[in-house]
Amino acid sequence: MARLLPDDGPSSIATALALGSSVVVVLLCSRGACRSLFRKGANFTAAMSFEMASTNLVVELSPIMLAFLGWQLTLAEFVGAPIMVKTDMPNG
């Protein structure tokens, strides 16, 4: 997986967001996965994007959010999470 995140370009960040949002992990596991990715050669920004997506942009929570919070807040989650990652990036 570290080979998929070689730099902090848009494709690496998009890959990190996609991979991070597809897994359900608790914050502690997310930090461990991020640290492991970075140690194995992934770019720091891409690894942090993976961590942020795996804790904030979880696809499996969408039906629950839709049922309890409505479609507007579910949409806002998926629109806002990539914006949050972009603004937290060093060059963002």
Side-chain angles (χ1 to χ4, degrees):
M1 200 162 106
R3 287 183 283 133
L4 297 173
L5 310 173
D7 56 14
D8 60 354
S11 63
S12 291
I13 300 301
T15 302
L17 288 174
L19 291 172
S21 66
S22 66
V23 298
V24 177
V25 293
V26 293
L27 184 59
L28 187 60
C29 294
S30 175
R31 287 185 180 163
C34 176
R35 182 178 178 195
S36 176
L37 281 171
F38 182 67
R39 284 187 168 181
K40 291 183 179 185
N43 179 272
F44 176 75
T45 304
M48 290 303 294
S49 296
F50 171 83
E51 178 185 359
M52 192 174 285
S54 65
T55 57
N56 295 327
L57 184 64
V58 180
V59 176
E60 289 83 1
L61 291 178
S62 299
I64 296 169
M65 289 176 60
L66 188 61
F68 292 111
L69 301 175
W71 69 268
Q72 296 93 340
L73 289 173
T74 304
L75 178 64
E77 171 74 17
F78 285 94
V79 170
I83 293 170
M84 183 175 61
V85 169
K86 176 63 178 156
T87 57
D88 281 345
M89 289 175 36
N91 299 332

